[in-house]
Amino acid sequence: MARTVDPEKHEARRLVIIDAALTCFAATGYAGTSTAAICKRAGIGSGTFFHYFPTKQSLLLAILAYGTDETRDWFAVRSEDEDPLSVVEAYLDHTVDEMSDPRLAGFVRAVGAVMGEPDVEAALALDTRVLEEGLEPWIARAQAADQVRADISAHDLTVWLLVVLDGFLARLAVDADFTAAAQQATLRDVVRRMLTP
Amino acid sequence: MARTVDPEKHEARRLVIIDAALTCFAATGYAGTSTAAICKRAGIGSGTFFHYFPTKQSLLLAILAYGTDETRDWFAVRSEDEDPLSVVEAYLDHTVDEMSDPRLAGFVRAVGAVMGEPDVEAALALDTRVLEEGLEPWIARAQAADQVRADISAHDLTVWLLVVLDGFLARLAVDADFTAAAQQATLRDVVRRMLTP
DNA sequence: GCAATACTAGAGCAGTCACTCCAGAAAAGG
DNA sequence: CCTTTTCTGGAGTGACTGCTCTAGTATTGC
């Protein structure tokens, strides 16, 4: 017999490539990033690249799946006896924290513009579905506890919360004077005003 | 002497190309759209294309300038004795109306992800500057009239209004169940809650 | 009619892209 | 040691890109 595969080393290499791709996609967009650029930044040859990912698109899908898993995990850890509104606000803070990595905002912008690729659109749809299904029960519980207005359905409120959050993140990516640290308090205020009964 | 240029015909052809490009960019993104695809949709040859626009990028810039001009015109028509808050809300309605063309939302997504092209970034920056400079005076006047909260600066309120509007438009582009007609009332409510003293 | 020039189409070009292929290095079991 | 298989780099490939060039047509002023 012969050489076996070491899953740890394999995963480590994968992460190096993913990290390099994240940087490149955030800087120059998906279509604007060549596989050669990713290889250069990751310090590998193209042979190695395609040994780990069969296509450039599969690399993008791997990154998206990574983010979806993180969202799933975050909600899986919540326990039902937490205060509903606090969980919602904690998720806001969590997301803003994640976006302190300035690459993420650029990456989100880059990925949002990948159009006409069914697999990518499906992955994005799954990502928002996981997010909505994680958030909506807490909004519903907050409604039941009269913490949140009930004249709009829990689903619509969830969507509107994500609308505000998306707009916030998009602005972070574009406007250097608009920083998460300086605007987080206003974000909380805007959301609270939107949800108040 | 010989043939002179007919500016009307010239402009009409330009608009045909611009319209075709808008459709293509919205469907497959900027980088994902080849000049050949635009030519095919516009029913012209590539020679004609490059007779009207020296580069693919200049076509994109022309479309952006078109939008910026429209924004400028909209605010230029306002007269100072209008009710400040009504002008702000009228702008919201106006934008939502414009977005009833479903291509526009896709186009905005596509253009937002054109990175590392200084001319495009400059055009986008100009577009948002014109928008902010059009909106902010009305917010300031609404503050002076106690129609709008004053604990946040007029500029920050303007930016936050655009944050909500951007998030709204982004959702329109992505979620088929989220329609302008059904959500316009909620948009107005969210903005009013955000601005209320 | 004629000359001059704006306009048009599409073949062709140089460059770039995602991806393939191969030859050899490295690592595991025997 | 040897064998087997994974892992690695980079030259090479065919497809496609934005754009140019040319040859010809349509439309104007005279």
Side-chain angles (χ1 to χ4, degrees):
Chain A
M1 284 294 162
R3 187 174 180 186
T4 58
V5 49
D6 180 344
E8 267 188 41
K9 277 197 174 179
H10 190 85
E11 192 60 21
R13 264 273 202 223
R14 260 179 73 99
L15 283 179
V16 168
I17 299 175
I18 282 181
D19 191 78
L22 205 60
T23 306
C24 293
F25 289 159
T28 55
Y30 176 71
T33 300
S34 64
T35 56
I38 300 172
C39 291
K40 193 174 180 183
R41 177 164 288 271
I44 61 174
S46 64
T48 308
F49 179 97
F50 288 100
H51 179 74
Y52 284 86
F53 298 94
T55 64
K56 180 184 169 186
Q57 191 184 102
S58 74
L59 166 60
L60 177 60
L61 293 175
I63 301 179
L64 290 177
Y66 198 84
T68 303
D69 285 349
E70 265 200 346
T71 302
R72 222 193 306 261
D73 290 349
W74 194 89
F75 283 103
V77 166
R78 304 298 119 191
S79 73
E80 289 213 8
D81 53 358
E82 290 188 56
D83 177 61
L85 192 53
S86 299
V87 170
V88 172
E89 294 185 336
Y91 178 75
L92 283 184
D93 291 348
H94 165 69
T95 305
V96 172
D97 266 11
E98 266 190 337
M99 288 292 157
S100 63
D101 180 348
R103 293 179 306 167
L104 283 189
F107 177 76
V108 169
R109 240 200 323 164
V111 172
V114 178
M115 293 146 150
E117 311 255 7
D119 292 342
V120 178
E121 305 223 326
L124 287 172
L126 176 64
D127 193 65
T128 64
R129 222 191 65 205
V130 165
L131 181 46
E132 285 173 22
E133 288 177 357
L135 216 43
E136 189 175 321
W138 294 103
I139 301 258
R141 275 173 214 139
Q143 281 180 323
D146 277 327
Q147 292 177 312
V148 162
R149 68 199 288 190
D151 61 326
I152 296 181
S153 72
H155 179 258
D156 278 3
L157 277 183
T158 305
V159 168
W160 270 96
L161 200 148
L162 296 180
V163 161
V164 172
L165 195 56
D166 275 7
F168 181 79
L169 299 177
R171 185 80 191 191
L172 284 181
V174 161
D175 181 351
D177 297 329
F178 191 88
T179 63
Q183 297 294 337
Q184 191 160 14
T186 306
L187 173 64
R188 274 197 276 254
D189 180 71
V190 168
V191 169
R192 205 171 297 127
R193 280 167 175 255
M194 183 172 75
L195 298 180
T196 294
Chain B
M1 285 292 164
R3 188 174 179 186
T4 59
V5 48
D6 180 344
E8 266 190 42
K9 276 194 175 179
H10 190 87
E11 193 60 22
R13 265 273 203 221
R14 258 179 77 98
L15 283 179
V16 168
I17 299 174
I18 282 182
D19 191 78
L22 205 62
T23 305
C24 291
F25 289 159
T28 54
Y30 176 71
T33 300
S34 64
T35 55
I38 300 172
C39 292
K40 193 174 179 183
R41 177 163 289 270
I44 60 174
S46 64
T48 307
F49 179 97
F50 288 100
H51 179 74
Y52 283 86
F53 297 94
T55 62
K56 179 183 167 187
Q57 194 184 97
S58 73
L59 166 60
L60 177 61
L61 293 176
I63 301 180
L64 291 177
Y66 199 83
T68 303
D69 286 348
E70 265 200 345
T71 302
R72 220 192 308 260
D73 290 349
W74 194 89
F75 282 103
V77 166
R78 302 301 117 191
S79 74
E80 289 211 8
D81 55 356
E82 291 188 54
D83 178 59
L85 192 52
S86 298
V87 170
V88 172
E89 294 184 336
Y91 179 75
L92 284 184
D93 290 349
H94 165 70
T95 306
V96 172
D97 267 12
E98 266 191 336
M99 289 292 159
S100 63
D101 181 348
R103 294 178 305 167
L104 284 190
F107 176 76
V108 169
R109 247 204 313 165
V111 172
V114 177
M115 293 147 152
E117 311 254 9
D119 292 342
V120 177
E121 306 222 326
L124 287 171
L126 176 64
D127 193 65
T128 65
R129 223 192 65 204
V130 166
L131 180 46
E132 285 173 23
E133 287 178 357
L135 216 42
E136 189 176 321
W138 294 103
I139 301 257
R141 274 174 215 140
Q143 281 181 324
D146 277 328
Q147 292 178 310
V148 161
R149 66 198 290 190
D151 61 326
I152 296 181
S153 73
H155 179 258
D156 277 3
L157 277 183
T158 305
V159 169
W160 270 97
L161 200 148
L162 296 179
V163 161
V164 172
L165 195 55
D166 275 7
F168 180 80
L169 300 177
R171 186 80 191 193
L172 284 181
V174 161
D175 181 351
D177 297 330
F178 192 88
T179 64
Q183 297 294 337
Q184 191 160 13
T186 307
L187 173 64
R188 274 198 276 254
D189 180 71
V190 168
V191 169
R192 205 172 297 129
R193 279 167 176 256
M194 184 173 76
L195 297 181
T196 293

